[in-house]
């Protein structure tokens, strides 16, 4: 008997052919990789093709693959991973798309296909610096408007670049260079015998 995943994979290959760069299965869910130039066409078919029927986009997140699994990842640096749900067919799908350029990651916005992606794309822009062409309101959503950089990039410093504080004399919030001394904070998993006055 053919499983649901095998049926879905066959339907995907039939619908997209060479547009699928790869397919893989993990934890009972398929992941497909498509090129940035094919993303909108693939997305429209994923939604409208009756053999696929992915009516809902449930999540989109950015990924920085500059290091992955304690080593260098052998591909482009930035990608998005989109999670789709077909209520009609009761199956899920991950769609991974790599931005063609590492220095200025740009991908087409999926907002014309699934409008639920609006704030997810804003979050990926804010935290990773991935620009979504065609997004009607691409601006920061989690960090302050004056924030410098993108904090989920793996080369972003742990302490950031600037800090903000309220200045009572100027009666406004001001930005200044980070004043935190660099230090290493290592949690004490194994305590010394008499740590904190406690006896074992």
């Amino acid at each position: 008997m053919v499983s649901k995943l095998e049926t879905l994979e066959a339907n995907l290959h039939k619908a997209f052919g060479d547009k699928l760069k790869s397919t893989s299965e993990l934890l009972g869910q398929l992941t497909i990789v498509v090129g940035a130039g094919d993303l909108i066409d693939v997305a429209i078919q994923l939604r409208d093709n009756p053999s696929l029927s992915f009516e809902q986009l449930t999540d989109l997140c950015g990924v920085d693959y500059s290091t992955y699994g304690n080593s260098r990842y052998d591909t482009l640096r930035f990608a998005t991973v989109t999670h789709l749900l077909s209520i009609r067919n009761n199956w899920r799908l991950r769609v991974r798309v790599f931005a063609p350029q590492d220095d200025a990651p740009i991908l087409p916005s999926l907002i014309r296909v699934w409008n639920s992606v609006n704030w997810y794309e804003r979050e990926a822009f804010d935290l990773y610096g991935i620009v979504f062409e065609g997004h009607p309101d691409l601006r920061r959503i989690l960090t302050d408007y004056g924030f410098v950089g993108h904090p989920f990039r793996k080369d972003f410093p742990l302490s950031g670049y600037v800090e903000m504080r309220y200045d009572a004399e100027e009666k406004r919030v001001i930005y200044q260079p980070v004043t935190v001394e660099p230090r290493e904070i290592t949690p004490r998993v194994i305590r010394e015998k008499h740590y904190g006055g406690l006896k074992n």
Side-chain angles (χ1 to χ4, degrees), residues 31-34 39 59-65 77-83 94-99 107-108 110 120-121 124-125 128 130-132:
T31 301
I32 62 171
V33 178
V34 298
L39 179 60
D59 189 25
L60 177 141
C61 63
V63 184
D64 179 355
Y65 285 103
R77 179 176 176 182
F78 294 103
T80 60
V81 178
T82 305
H83 295 254
R94 290 185 204 97
V95 181
R96 182 179 293 125
V97 182
F98 286 91
L107 290 171
L110 291 172
Y120 298 130
E121 287 183 345
F125 164 70
Y128 291 94
I130 300 170
V131 174
F132 294 91

Side-chain angles (χ1 to χ4, degrees), residues 10 17 20 37 42 55 67 113 115 119 144 153 171 173 186 199:
L20 294 182
V42 168
E55 306 99 340
T67 58
V113 185
N115 63 5
W119 284 14
D144 185 64
R153 288 187 174 192
K171 298 193 182 330
V173 173
T186 306
K199 295 184 180 180

Side-chain angles (χ1 to χ4, degrees), residues 53-180:
S53 293
F54 287 97
E55 306 99 340
Q56 250 184 350
L57 182 146
T58 59
D59 189 25
L60 177 141
C61 63
V63 184
D64 179 355
Y65 285 103
S66 59
T67 58
Y68 189 76
N70 297 325
S71 64
R72 179 93 178 123
Y73 197 64
D74 190 24
T75 187
L76 296 165
R77 179 176 176 182
F78 294 103
T80 60
V81 178
T82 305
H83 295 254
L84 303 175
L85 170 65
S86 172
I87 297 168
R88 177 183 297 168
N89 296 315
N90 190 26
W91 51 36
R92 296 175 182 270
L93 179 70
R94 290 185 204 97
V95 181
R96 182 179 293 125
V97 182
F98 286 91
Q101 295 144 349
D102 291 345
D103 54 341
I106 300 172
L107 290 171
S109 174
L110 291 172
I111 202 160
R112 293 182 298 129
V113 185
W114 296 284
N115 63 5
S116 61
V117 80
N118 189 341
W119 284 14
Y120 298 130
E121 287 183 345
R122 285 181 59 190
E123 181 182 62
F125 164 70
D126 190 1
L127 301 178
Y128 291 94
I130 300 170
V131 174
F132 294 91
E133 282 186 324
H135 193 289
D137 188 22
L138 195 62
R139 58 191 162 101
R140 292 188 182 271
I141 192 169
L142 295 172
T143 60
D144 185 64
Y145 293 125
F147 193 88
V148 177
H150 304 283
F152 278 16
R153 288 187 174 192
K154 292 182 179 176
D155 55 1
F156 190 82
L158 292 178
S159 63
Y161 297 108
V162 296
E163 63 187 19
M164 59 185 244
R165 66 175 177 83
Y166 180 76
D167 189 295
E169 292 177 11
E170 295 188 35
K171 298 193 182 330
R172 67 181 183 92
V173 173
I174 62 169
Y175 293 88
Q176 63 189 37
V178 173
T179 58
V180 176

